[in-house]
Structures are given as C-alpha cells and as structure tokens.
Amino acid sequence: MRGLAIFLALGGCMPPAPAPDLPSVMPGWTVSRAAPVIMAGSLRPQALWNDPSPLRMDDGYALYMTSSTDAPFKPPVLPFRAVSRDGKRWALSPAKPLLTATDGPYASIETPSVARFAGRYWMAFTGVYAKPGPSPMAIGMAVSPDGIDWRIANWTLLQATGGATDWNGYLVGEPGLVVRGDELLLYFSAVGARVRGGPPLQSIGLIRSRDGQHFTAPQQILTQGPLYPPEQGYAGYSSPAALADGGVVDLFYSVAHVRKGADPEWQQVAIHHARSRDSVRFIEDPAPLLTRASASWTDGEILAPGPLRDGGQIRLWFGGHVARDRLAPLIRRDFSGPEFGIGIATIPIDHFTQTTMKKGTDR
C-alpha cells in the first residue's frame, strides 16, 4: 500500500534471481517479533494499517497512520489518528479519516507525517494520482489547530521536475517532517533515472521553511551507501522520518530493493539510520537498525519508520507484512490478523547513541 510501491513495473516471466543476503542489524533493539502491535482488521473492519507517524501528547500518544477505506488494497487510502495512554492499547480518535481525497487531484492521501510548529499541527502527505503518468504522486500539506480537525493548505506543495536525468525527475513522495530550531524541515524520497543503468535511482531530498508555507528549493541530501550497492539490485532509500534534538537530526529511512520477477518487484527490506549536525550532511550507520528478518511477520517487507524520543527510550513504530504468498490466511479471515500491520521496536537512548556513534559512512 505504501505509495512508492506502485511506480515500478519491470515485467518479465523469468523466475526471480535470489535476493541478496541482508546485512546484520545493530544490536540492542527490542522488537515486536511475533505480531504487529496494531494488526490488520483491528480498530476498523478490514483495516490495513501502515505509515505510522507518532507524537507524544500530555496524556499519552497519538499515532497518525493510513488504511484503505472502501476495499482492501484499493484506493482511497486515507489518514487516521489513533490515541493511547500507554502506547499499547489504541483507539481511533476520531473514528473517521482525517482527510478526504474527494475535492483534490488524488485518488489517495498516504504517508502522513505530522509535526507541531508555529502553534499549529502540520501534516505533509503523499498524494497518489489515479493515473500514474507523467508522475504517480506528489507531496501536499494540511494544517490543524489541534491535530484532529484538518484542512488542506496546499494540494501540491512539491512535485517531480519531469527532467529525464534529474534526481527528482520522475517522482517525489513519502515526506518526513521535523522541527529543528525555528525551521520546519521536510525530508522526502525521490526517484530519477540511473545514468549507468540498473535499478531506478532513489534518494532522499530536503526542503525547509520558516513559516510552513514558503519552502526552499529541493536539494538532494542522501544517496545510497556502499552497504547497499545498485549492482545487487538496491535502488536506494525511501520513507524518511526524522528526530531533532538541538541541532542534531536523526534520520530513519527504508532501504528499497528491486528484484525482477519478484512479487512485488520493488520491496522495502530494511530500516537504516543516519545522523547530521547541520540537517544536510549525514553520517550513515555501518549497519541497519532492522531488516525484514527482524520479525516473523515482516518477511515480505519492513518499512515506514516512525521514530519518537520518549523519556529514556527511542520508540520506533514501523509497517510491515508477510511475503505475498503468505497472505492467504489474512484474506480468509476477512483481512484480519497478524500478517499485516504496524509494529514497534524500542532501545534505550544511551545504547542507541553509543551504537550509532560508531564509525559509519560520511554521505
């Protein structure tokens, strides 16, 4: 359901090549390995929960997330808000979607990323068009006085350039908002052509604003590192989300892999992290935080990191699902069960800081 998964159709009938072995993960994470904490079909019939974006509230937590709303795996996919006092037991608040795509140019509104800035709540989102050409999606922005009642501020805040060789020429999407000082930073995933061939070039860009309305021109800030070579089918990075502490930005993102003949051919297979002291130049960790081998229900994909600094811990919500050929039980249960949903991983902040400060790759 993640928006970027629709952009690639490589075709072909040959059996897929073997997937490369994923790197070993960073130690120290406690992961919901057996099942998601928010499973498919919970909170709402046939719900397929994805795209978590958490906020700490005075009385607990708010989690912004998405689901298809009319029929499973079909548009419209729309954003919802759930609340919890303990981070374990959740309830929708409100019960209906926060936004509708009816009056805009999109079939779905996906990947909500929410931040509090300048006295209001801001939601950057991926708008997915009903027809994929010339680009399948763009980035929009909504605002709210309380995080519950939302209005669209800009249907198309950022879109692909259309340039054949631009790093952001084919699409932009999957925004990640974070407040750093007096600026609102919006990280995003972009796809362009890879000049020397191979999988599409997928990297992370940045735009920034001091008022939430006027943003700088996009700049490319992170491309795939040597741990994920394109020669092995890695396309790059997707679904960025960030935390800011003082001047330091911690960026979390998915690793995308393309394997011809697989189902689907574009998959998100790991969650990685990089750190910056100026929001632009990043040092990437020497190992992923999680891979799709980190839980029994993420052997299909692990994706959409949603980080939160909470007391002495880093809490990291993430989306995932089993491999496509293991979805039949979910369908037989009327799209309810542990094969699809949102999980959580936690680590003490001290341990996270120590492990992520080990020598990585300067990007």
Side-chain angles (χ1 to χ4, degrees), residues 40-245:
S42 63
L43 309 182
R44 177 185 170 96
Q46 297 187 330
L48 295 169
W49 299 115
N50 203 355
D51 305 328
S53 176
L55 286 181
R56 191 69 167 94
M57 313 297 287
D58 291 340
D59 57 352
Y61 305 87
L63 190 65
Y64 296 85
M65 54 189 183
T66 61
S67 175
S68 46
T69 54
D70 288 350
F73 297 112
K74 294 182 180 180
V77 175
L78 297 174
F80 290 80
R81 175 181 181 266
V83 295
S84 173
R85 290 189 178 275
D86 59 8
K88 298 177 182 179
R89 292 163 292 190
W90 295 88
L92 292 179
S93 178
K96 64 181 182 180
L98 301 176
L99 293 169
T100 175
T102 302
D103 298 325
Y106 308 120
S108 292
I109 296 174
E110 303 191 27
T111 73
S113 177
V114 178
R116 287 176 287 208
F117 176 70
R120 292 193 286 178
Y121 290 77
W122 301 78
M123 179 196 294
F125 60 83
T126 301
V128 181
Y129 295 109
K131 297 181 179 180
S135 178
M137 61 194 65
I139 293 174
M141 183 76 79
V143 295
S144 169
D146 56 9
I148 299 171
D149 296 313
W150 293 86
R151 66 172 179 84
I152 298 293
N154 192 334
W155 280 109
T156 310
L157 174 68
L158 185 66
Q159 56 189 344
T161 67
T165 59
D166 291 347
W167 63 274
N168 54 348
Y170 181 56
L171 68 79
V172 298
E174 300 192 320
L177 288 178
V178 69
V179 177
R180 179 179 183 264
D182 59 356
E183 278 193 308
L184 183 64
L185 308 182
L186 191 159
Y187 294 94
F188 62 93
S189 186
V191 174
R194 195 179 294 271
V195 176
R196 297 181 180 179
L201 175 63
Q202 193 162 348
S203 58
I204 294 175
L206 170 66
I207 58 176
R208 51 207 315 157
S209 174
R210 294 189 180 277
D211 60 8
Q213 302 176 57
H214 304 90
F215 284 81
T216 59
Q219 59 182 129
Q220 187 184 38
I221 57 98
L222 188 64
T223 58
Q224 67 199 99
L227 198 62
Y228 306 109
E231 296 80 11
Q232 293 184 14
Y234 291 103
Y237 299 148
S238 180
S239 56
L243 296 174
D245 184 15

Side-chain angles (χ1 to χ4, degrees), residues 93 100 108 121 205 252-253 262 272-273 356:
S93 178
T100 175
S108 292
Y121 290 77
F252 302 76
Y253 44 93
H272 211 95
H273 165 265
T356 57

